Amino acid sequence: LFNVNLQKPCPFWEDNSHCGMRDCAVQPCPSDEVPDGIRAGSYKYSEEANSLAEECEEAKRLGAVDDSLSKETRQAVLQWAQHDDSSDSFCEADDIHSPDAEYVDLLLNPERYTGYKGPDAWKIWNSIYEENCFKPQNVKRPLASGRGESFIYLTKWVSRVCVEKRAFYRLISGLHASINIHLSARYLLQDSWSEKKWGPNITEFQQRFDEVLTNGEGPRRLKNLYFLYLIELRALSKVLPFFERPGFQLYTGNESQDAEMKHLLLEILHLAKSFPLHFDENSFFAGNKKEAAKLKEEFRLHFKNISKIMDCVGCFKCRLWGKLQTQGLGTALKILFSENLIEKIPESGPSYGFQLTRQEIVALFNAFGRVSTSVKELENFRNLLQNMR
């Protein structure tokens, strides 16, 4: 369940290009899918509170604290509600207290091809690459779907800049590649009155990633996908101490389910930590401390700006997944650049130095799920292409 405001206006240009196709629509969560501990302002875990409301309640009611909670849970609620991490955040968070914010069941709104394409979609990615990737103005990106020779010059520029700016570009390129793989893997192959059929579209995949059709750019995009995967995997391994604390709770109102969920979460994190070949972020922002601090702030503000651009996406389902995945990546970066704070987290008691909101946690794990799915789908496409030969 992801709390999102899909009604925020585009802050950069006037946009009336909302996609009218049915596959662009987002289905909000039915009330009985939202656990009482999340949606109910009272947070009561009593028998009468288990009766489900008729509709998703406004997110502003999440912050209320009730005496029926244990002392530890009240402390956690207050800690999350009062925490203001704007100085650490890499994303422009949604105003979840807005009446327009609503819970969306991600399983009911899968990321797949919606028909949203053409100039409106290209405008989003061009704004991201042209204005937010530390790219000089004289290095241009093609205004189409990326099958031109202009990418050769863009690649030459990337190879000359410092490691931090190069990594930033590669992360955005990896995210772009991941999204394109999702759309190619769950393409609308048949749309008739009797049924809809979704599945892999090999032609679409080749147009975006084939080495010949993309003038050598396709394989680089896929390398950037793996780079993104390693970055997010590294973040999961680094954040383990935060979730391991006995006082940390994933509370929904169902104690047995909450305990099981925390057990599964820690299982995933320990598995991530066992992977030996993580990306080493220690090379980031090294050297002169003043220059490093300035570059880190630029890095954060550029990424925050990209998260704002997601409010300009005309397709609501694309906007939903774009916001979630940028916030997930932003949370991963926040974790990687908070290593000293995470190391100082006490085993018991509150963690005032480093904190993650429920929204950030949901985005982090679901974003990594999307990148992981891309890696899996990539293997499937390789097998399909192999069988065609």
Side-chain angles (χ1 to χ4, degrees), residues 1 15 20 28 34 43 103 180 184 200 209 212 214 257 272 289 382:
L1 296 178
D15 182 47
V34 184
Y43 270 106
Y103 282 100
N180 280 334
S184 301
F209 298 107
V212 175
T214 61
Q257 190 179 65
K289 289 187 176 180
R382 284 197 183 106

Side-chain angles (χ1 to χ4, degrees), residues 14 17 43 45 67 93 103 123 141 162-163 189-190 198 203 232-233 239 260 281 285 304 317 322 359 370:
E14 189 173 342
S17 59
Y43 270 106
Y45 296 168
D67 288 339
Y103 282 100
K123 187 176 182 180
R141 180 181 182 274
C162 67
V163 62
L189 302 177
Q190 180 181 328
W198 306 85
T203 301
E232 295 196 0
L233 188 65
V239 82
E260 181 186 6
E281 74 282 359
F285 310 115
K304 200 162 189 174
K317 190 169 287 184
Q359 192 80 345
R370 291 282 75 208

Side-chain angles (χ1 to χ4, degrees), residues 4 6 82 86 137 139-140 150 158 176 238-239 241 262 267 278-279 328 333 343:
V4 62
L6 297 174
Q82 293 173 352
S86 59
Q137 290 297 314
V139 179
K140 294 298 180 184
S150 301
V158 169
H176 194 180
K238 286 283 186 181
V239 82
K262 182 173 180 179
E267 202 173 78
H278 289 302
F279 172 81
L333 293 173
E343 288 177 349

Side-chain angles (χ1 to χ4, degrees), residues 117-315:
K117 57 184 180 179
D120 290 333
W122 298 335
K123 187 176 182 180
I124 299 296
W125 284 110
N126 277 287
S127 178
I128 290 173
Y129 284 109
E130 287 289 328
E131 300 169 25
N132 296 282
C133 278
F134 298 97
K135 187 183 65 57
Q137 290 297 314
N138 62 335
V139 179
K140 294 298 180 184
R141 180 181 182 274
L143 288 171
S145 54
R147 301 166 194 163
E149 294 183 1
S150 301
F151 267 106
I152 297 173
Y153 303 106
L154 186 60
T155 303
K156 287 181 179 178
W157 163 76
V158 169
S159 66
R160 292 196 299 266
V161 298
C162 67
V163 62
E164 292 87 358
K165 294 181 180 180
R166 188 161 65 245
F168 190 98
Y169 172 81
R170 293 189 66 191
L171 286 173
I172 301 305
S173 173
L175 180 62
H176 194 180
S178 179
I179 291 172
N180 280 334
I181 290 175
H182 301 155
L183 304 185
S184 301
R186 301 196 70 176
Y187 201 89
L188 183 58
L189 302 177
Q190 180 181 328
D191 187 9
S192 64
W193 65 271
S194 58
E195 68 168 337
K196 279 189 175 185
K197 184 179 179 183
W198 306 85
N201 186 322
I202 297 176
T203 301
E204 189 72 20
F205 177 82
Q206 288 178 307
Q207 287 176 339
R208 297 173 188 272
F209 298 107
D210 181 86
E211 185 171 11
V212 175
L213 295 176
T214 61
N215 289 306
E217 182 61 25
R220 293 190 186 95
R221 296 171 187 167
L222 296 178
K223 285 183 180 180
N224 292 339
L225 166 69
Y226 283 106
F227 179 71
L228 171 67
Y229 179 79
L230 288 176
I231 285 278
E232 295 196 0
L233 188 65
R234 176 71 162 177
L236 290 180
S237 70
K238 286 283 186 181
V239 82
L240 177 59
F242 176 78
F243 290 107
E244 273 188 320
R245 293 172 301 136
F248 176 80
Q249 299 179 59
L250 290 169
Y251 41 87
T252 64
N254 184 324
E255 289 187 12
S256 61
Q257 190 179 65
D258 292 347
E260 181 186 6
M261 197 60 60
K262 182 173 180 179
H263 172 75
L264 291 172
L265 183 147
L266 292 177
E267 202 173 78
I268 292 172
L269 294 177
H270 278 288
L271 187 63
K273 195 171 184 66
S274 70
F275 183 66
L277 300 175
H278 289 302
F279 172 81
D280 182 9
E281 74 282 359
N282 290 325
S283 59
F284 277 7
F285 310 115
N288 183 283
K289 289 187 176 180
K290 187 175 180 180
E291 288 299 317
K294 180 182 176 183
L295 184 58
K296 182 178 179 180
E297 180 63 8
E298 281 187 68
F299 198 99
R300 186 182 70 84
L301 292 177
H302 275 253
F303 197 87
K304 200 162 189 174
N305 213 41
I306 289 174
S307 72
K308 292 180 183 179
I309 293 176
M310 292 301 132
D311 285 315
C312 301
V313 177
C315 163

